[in-house]
Amino acid sequence: MTLEDLFVLVIEPSNMQRGIIVNRLKALGIVNIDEFEEGAAAITAMQQQTPDLVLSAMHLPDMTGTEVVTQMREQVELSDITFLLISSETHYRYLEPIRQAGAIAILPKPFDENDFRKALQSTLHYICDKDEITERDTSEYENLRVLLVDDSKFARKYLNQILTNIGIESIVEAEDGAQGLALLEQERFDLIVSDYNMPNVDGKEMVEHIRASDDQPTIPIMMVTSEQNESQLAAIQAAGVSALISKPLSYDMMKQLIEKLVFDSDL
């Protein structure tokens, strides 16, 4: 599958902005494009013909982009569709649900062409079967055991799909840090991918406990978070995470980090 094969649904109320986006898609060879001004009509269309990617603005005449992706994730037939937000919106209240829903990317207006291409390429990687990915011997990934810790079921599903498409077959999920620590007492893992803001035991507390333990203190820990507070981020770093990444996380970034944290560290 190539970029040219993608079916993209664009939701943008501005004719000018929609024209810019569609022209950028066509310049990349993507011609299978549906255009909508409102969220409700777009969701109805998705139910009739499933797109590979939904590309939406934030503020629509009938709802927000946040509401669009939330409705998508709540419907089984739409829950796996990749979502890309293009918006000048910066408010946490609007963006946080989109980050948690597993958006492929959040791009500003006007967006950078390279970032746009990367987001589309990440969409391609996300929806492709792992058999199509041949950059590294898949047996190296198949042998990895990954613990995925996140209180958002949508974020877990998105990250699980990325890990699966990379070639990882053994993925165990936990809903918060407390469950993650309990699983670590029972099993051994090669990598932990965790959220920060979680109930009961948050990501920072989980990392501190792991680093202070005698069992698996050196296990690589990748923390994927939407946290914006600089002091909180510094505290997470100090706790001993191996990598601290902002949501949304793309397929390409996940793959690069696994290469660095798991494989390169063994050289």
Side-chain angles (χ1 to χ4, degrees):
M1 189 175 188
T2 65
L3 284 179
E4 290 81 0
D5 299 315
L6 290 177
F7 171 30
V8 181
L9 189 150
V10 178
I11 317 172
E12 169 58 67
S14 164
N15 289 332
M16 182 186 73
Q17 292 291 337
R18 194 167 65 253
I20 291 172
I21 294 168
V22 169
N23 287 335
R24 296 285 178 85
L25 290 169
K26 289 180 177 178
L28 293 171
I30 300 171
V31 296
N32 195 2
I33 306 167
D34 271 0
E35 302 177 38
F36 295 89
E37 297 181 10
E38 298 185 351
I43 291 171
T44 298
M46 293 177 216
Q47 294 167 337
Q48 298 170 354
Q49 185 178 7
T50 306
D52 298 307
L53 169 67
V54 172
L55 196 160
S56 178
M58 173 59 78
H59 298 289
L60 308 171
D62 58 341
M63 63 179 71
T64 65
T66 304
E67 291 170 321
V68 170
V69 71
T70 298
Q71 289 189 32
M72 288 169 58
R73 297 301 182 243
E74 290 174 346
Q75 300 182 44
V76 174
E77 67 272 23
L78 306 181
S79 62
D80 287 337
I81 301 173
T82 51
F83 184 89
L84 167 61
L85 180 76
I86 298 182
S87 175
S88 56
E89 180 62 65
T90 59
H91 200 287
Y92 179 89
R93 176 169 64 92
Y94 289 106
L95 297 182
E96 179 61 11
I98 290 179
R99 294 189 182 102
Q100 295 297 342
I104 205 79
I106 299 176
L107 301 182
K109 290 181 178 178
F111 56 84
D112 179 83
E113 290 191 21
N114 288 331
D115 291 340
F116 188 60
R117 179 187 286 271
K118 287 178 182 177
L120 293 173
Q121 195 66 48
S122 189
T123 296
L124 192 64
H125 288 150
Y126 178 79
I127 64 178
C128 282
D129 292 332
K130 68 176 183 178
D131 294 338
E132 298 181 41
I133 302 166
T134 58
E135 295 174 9
R136 175 183 278 272
D137 182 358
T138 56
S139 65
E140 295 185 347
Y141 290 106
E142 290 170 357
N143 293 329
L144 289 181
R145 288 184 52 77
V146 176
L147 175 61
L148 177 57
V149 190
D150 200 308
D151 61 314
S152 166
K153 65 178 181 180
F154 299 132
R156 287 201 311 274
K157 185 172 184 179
Y158 172 72
L159 293 172
N160 191 309
Q161 185 64 55
I162 291 179
L163 293 167
T164 299
N165 285 5
I166 288 173
I168 297 171
E169 297 183 348
S170 181
I171 305 167
V172 178
E173 297 187 10
E175 296 181 3
D176 57 36
Q179 286 189 12
L181 290 173
L183 286 166
L184 280 167
E185 293 179 356
Q186 302 168 15
E187 305 178 48
R188 299 196 67 82
F189 296 93
D190 301 298
L191 172 68
I192 297 173
V193 179
S194 176
D195 188 21
Y196 165 55
N197 289 303
M198 297 182 291
N200 301 317
V201 175
D202 65 25
K204 174 177 170 290
E205 294 168 334
M206 184 184 72
V207 172
E208 290 173 338
H209 185 92
I210 292 170
R211 294 302 185 228
S213 72
D214 296 326
D215 192 17
Q216 304 179 61
T218 62
I219 185 172
I221 304 173
M222 182 193 310
M223 190 160 291
V224 186
T225 179
S226 56
E227 178 62 56
Q228 302 294 311
N229 185 286
E230 292 296 331
S231 62
Q232 293 282 13
L233 292 173
I236 297 169
Q237 289 275 27
V241 294
S242 309
L244 181 60
I245 310 300
S246 297
K247 289 182 179 179
L249 174 68
S250 70
Y251 167 95
D252 295 311
M253 178 60 74
M254 175 73 85
K255 193 167 186 293
Q256 291 172 13
L257 286 170
I258 292 175
E259 293 274 347
K260 179 180 179 181
L261 298 178
V262 179
F263 295 117
D264 291 351
S265 63
D266 292 335
L267 297 179

